[in-house]
Amino acid sequence: MQLAMQLARNNIDHGTGGPFGAAVFDIATHQLIAVGVNVVLSSHCSMAHAEMMAISMAQQQQANFDLAAAGQALELVSSCEPCAMCFGAIPWSGIKHVVCGARDADARAIGFDEGPKMHDWQQALGQRGITVQTDICRQQGIDVLQHYAKRNGVIYNSGDNI
């Protein structure tokens, strides 16, 4: 989680994107497979969320769209709970475990629109064999989000910039 938080903070401090970071690890060995940061603004791509970037990079590194295909159990560690889009991508990615820092409500508190994600999203992933841990270093995640807000980071998809 510390890596995901540092990626998010570095992304803010370098002006390269939004306040979100993510990484994919091998659950058994803790080996880092891939990292991702939010590059929505710089890439001009609404899908370039940290989780999506980390999953995409892991799939490229593994040369497979299904991260579970090789029998390796991988986890996605993210500085914040997934938005509706990232939640939707997780089951198809092959990720077996998700670890989250800040909550959806914390991102919404600074103005982000996290989309219409179901209330029981953790249970929905669980029904697909994907375990979830939340509130890991939550306050640190909140601090990263607030750091972005204090630096007047662009709150995209908020309705204000439509």
Side-chain angles (χ1 to χ4, degrees), residues 2-3 36 38 62 68 71 83 106 113 122-123 126 142-143 154:
Q2 291 304 312
L3 176 59
N38 181 289
Q62 299 287 313
C83 69
D106 302 327
D113 177 356
Q122 294 175 50
Q123 181 181 12
I142 292 169
D143 293 346
V154 175

Side-chain angles (χ1 to χ4, degrees), residues 28-39:
T29 67
H30 306 293
Q31 176 188 2
L32 176 64
I33 305 298
V35 299
V37 294
N38 181 289
V39 290

